[in-house]
Amino acid sequence: EPEVTQTPSHQVTQMGQEVILRCVPISNHLYFYWYRQILGQKVEFLVSFYNNEISEKSEIFDDQFSVERPDGSNFTLKIRSTKLEDSAMYFCASSPQYSNQPQHFGDGTRLSIL
Amino acid sequence: AQRVTQPEKLLSVFKGAPVELKCNYSYSGSPELFWYVQYSRQRLQLLLRHISRESIKGFTADLNKGETSFHLKKPFAQEEDSAMYYCASSGNTGKLIFGQGTTLQVKP
C-alpha cells in the first residue's frame, strides 16, 4: 500500500537556524497538509495546500513558516528562524482528489530546537 | 469554532471487557467525523469515518447529532487494541481538528 514518507525522522537544530522538513505524499493525491504535535498536547493543524497554493493556514502558521512543492513530488515545510517552542513532532498528510477524503499520515519528523 | 473533546486521557480495561472511548464535537455545520489510531511507534492511521458506517477491527462509532457525540465502541477488547486513539472532525475545508487523544490500555 502506498505511504506518505517523511524525512528526516529526527532533526536537531540550534535556535535561530532555518530547518526544512520534507514529505513525499502519495503520488495520486492532490491535497497536502502539515500538522504538529507538541509533546503532551493534541495534534494541531498548520496548513493545507492544493493546486500549488495554500488553501488554509492556522494562527500558528506565521511568517516564519512556508510550504512548497518544488518538484511535483516533494512537499516541504520550512521554518525560517526556529524558536524553542517549535520543538514538536511534525506530521505530513495527503488525501485524494477531493477534500474531506481520509487523510494519510506520514511517520512524522521529531524536531528538537536547542 | 470547531472543537473536539475527548474527556479521558487514559482508559484501562481488561481483555474481553467492553470499551467505549468518548468523543464530543462542536461545529455549526455538518462535520465529518473520524477516529484515527496510533499504535506504538507507528503512524496515525484512519480507523473509522462516520460516513462509511463500517466496523473495523470490531470497532464501531455512531454519530449522534443530538448529543454531538461520536463515541468509539468495541464489545470485547483485545490486547492488540492497546494504542492511542484520536477523534477528529473535518469541516468543508479539509483540515482535521483533533481531540486530545485517549490512551487505551488493554490488560491481559
Side-chain angles (χ1 to χ4, degrees):
Chain A
E1 190 177 322
E3 289 183 341
V4 175
T5 55
Q6 288 185 244
T7 54
S9 56
H10 191 190
Q11 174 81 46
V12 182
T13 302
Q14 291 287 332
M15 187 172 62
Q17 296 295 304
E18 174 183 285
V19 67
I20 297 176
L21 309 183
R22 301 181 194 281
C23 169
V24 179
I26 293 172
S27 63
N28 63 344
H29 285 188
L30 298 178
Y31 289 78
F32 313 115
Y33 307 85
W34 283 101
Y35 295 84
R36 79 168 185 193
Q37 185 176 31
I38 294 170
L39 189 64
Q41 298 185 23
K42 64 171 70 178
V43 177
E44 301 173 287
F45 168 78
L46 290 178
V47 65
S48 58
F49 192 86
Y50 169 71
N51 200 26
N52 275 324
E53 57 184 30
I54 290 173
S55 43
E56 187 174 2
K57 58 184 181 180
S58 72
E59 291 171 357
I60 303 165
F61 195 89
D62 62 21
D63 292 344
Q64 294 299 312
F65 290 86
S66 61
V67 288
E68 201 177 31
R69 190 153 160 79
D71 56 12
S73 63
N74 288 283
F75 178 51
T76 61
L77 174 70
K78 185 196 291 188
I79 308 175
R80 198 175 3 256
S81 178
T82 49
K83 303 190 275 282
L84 292 175
E85 54 264 38
D86 294 328
S87 295
M89 194 75 165
Y90 287 81
F91 294 104
C92 174
S94 69
S95 65
Q97 190 170 5
Y98 298 106
S99 63
N100 283 341
Q101 292 292 307
Q103 293 176 25
H104 298 252
F105 283 80
D107 281 331
T109 293
R110 179 167 300 286
L111 178 62
S112 300
I113 307 300
L114 304 178
Chain B
Q2 265 181 283
R3 190 163 60 228
V4 175
T5 305
Q6 291 178 251
E8 302 137 329
K9 278 191 99 166
L10 172 66
L11 184 63
S12 187
V13 301
F14 285 102
K15 178 182 163 183
V19 166
E20 182 179 67
L21 290 96
K22 292 184 168 31
C23 171
N24 288 91
Y25 67 91
S26 64
Y27 183 64
S28 55
S30 295
E32 275 219 54
L33 277 300
F34 304 86
W35 277 99
Y36 279 84
V37 60
Q38 190 173 31
Y39 299 103
S40 179
R41 303 183 191 286
Q42 294 187 27
R43 64 186 62 200
L44 279 163
Q45 303 170 37
L46 178 69
L47 181 63
L48 284 177
R49 55 191 300 214
H50 88 271
I51 207 164
S52 58
R53 292 182 164 274
E54 54 192 342
S55 172
I56 304 289
K57 300 184 180 186
F59 284 97
T60 59
D62 289 318
L63 180 62
N64 184 323
K65 290 186 178 180
E67 295 182 0
T68 59
S69 68
F70 188 57
H71 303 327
L72 183 68
K73 299 177 186 179
K74 184 168 182 176
F76 308 105
Q78 304 298 314
E79 287 180 70
E80 54 266 29
D81 295 329
S82 295
M84 188 75 161
Y85 289 81
Y86 293 96
C87 182
S89 75
S90 172
N92 56 8
T93 64
K95 73 178 182 189
L96 288 172
I97 302 296
F98 285 88
Q100 289 277 77
T102 299
T103 300
L104 175 64
Q105 191 179 72
V106 182
K107 296 179 284 192

